[in-house]
Amino acid sequence: MNILMVCLGNICRSPLAEGILQEKAASAGLNWYVDSAGTNGYHVGEAPHPLSQKVALINGIDISAQRSRRFVAEDFDKFDKIYAMAEDVVSDIRRIAKNKFDKSKVELLLNELYPGKNMDVPDPWYGAEPGYHEVYSLIDKACDMVVERHKV
Ligand code: 4NP
């Protein structure tokens, strides 16, 4: 399985999702490739937000080596599953991917946790540390479901 986690900036939510799912897949003995990207490109080349790094480390995950990259249409060739953190991200993915867009590969991450509810992972970008803990907890639970659903 090749799985891509996508948010807007690729500095707050999707780096957490990448780190968390990598850790869970490895712990489950799964040979998965997990990456992340952002649709807006404003932070390309940057490390994850300090609070995402802090909250990840508190939970035993080091995401400091990650660097933000922009989502590209060709990601549809490389990845089996593309998880969007929010509905606006799905719209961006559709716009960027154009004719490569494959609806069957794209899902809101929280639909793994709350099927059919179409809930967003809240954007913690403008907020303080508690928001990052909330985001971590939601993504952590959703990634448990991702492993359960897709492990062979
Ligand atoms: P993220 O948060 O999508 O979870 O990485 C954001 C980070 C930066 C911006 C928006 C969202 N921004 O507009 O710069």
Side-chain angles (χ1 to χ4, degrees):
M1 282 286 285
N2 294 329
I3 297 183
L4 184 66
M5 301 296 199
V6 187
C7 63
L8 298 173
N10 192 210
I11 54 166
C12 299
R13 292 166 292 179
S14 61
L16 285 172
E18 176 186 330
I20 290 168
L21 189 60
Q22 276 174 352
E23 196 273 329
K24 288 186 191 296
S27 297
L30 299 166
N31 186 26
W32 287 3
Y33 175 68
V34 183
D35 192 14
S36 65
T39 56
N40 73 18
Y42 295 162
H43 297 274
V44 167
E46 292 180 22
H49 191 285
L51 287 172
S52 284
Q53 292 195 44
K54 178 180 176 181
V55 169
L57 259 193
I58 288 170
N59 288 281
I61 296 175
D62 182 356
I63 62 169
S64 63
Q66 291 185 34
R67 294 296 176 265
S68 173
R69 76 162 174 95
R70 182 123 197 253
F71 175 82
V72 290
E74 290 68 33
D75 284 322
F76 273 96
D77 302 327
K78 280 194 215 151
F79 292 92
D80 305 300
K81 196 81 206 167
I82 296 174
Y83 285 110
M85 298 301 122
E87 202 70 66
D88 56 352
V89 176
V90 176
S91 304
D92 286 350
I93 289 172
R94 196 185 294 271
R95 181 173 46 77
I96 294 166
K98 298 194 178 73
N99 61 331
K100 292 222 184 239
F101 187 81
D102 178 351
K103 195 171 187 289
S104 69
K105 290 189 177 184
V106 182
E107 182 65 275
L108 284 171
L109 179 64
L110 289 190
N111 274 344
E112 293 284 8
L113 185 59
Y114 305 113
K117 299 278 189 233
N118 295 329
M119 285 172 59
D120 291 351
V121 177
D123 188 348
W125 170 244
Y126 295 104
E129 184 169 333
Y132 287 78
H133 286 280
E134 183 196 345
V135 162
Y136 187 98
S137 170
L138 283 168
I139 293 173
D140 186 61
K141 285 184 263 186
C143 286
D144 281 334
M145 303 306 291
V146 172
V147 169
E148 274 309 305
R149 176 193 279 218
H150 295 292
K151 73 183 180 191
V152 185

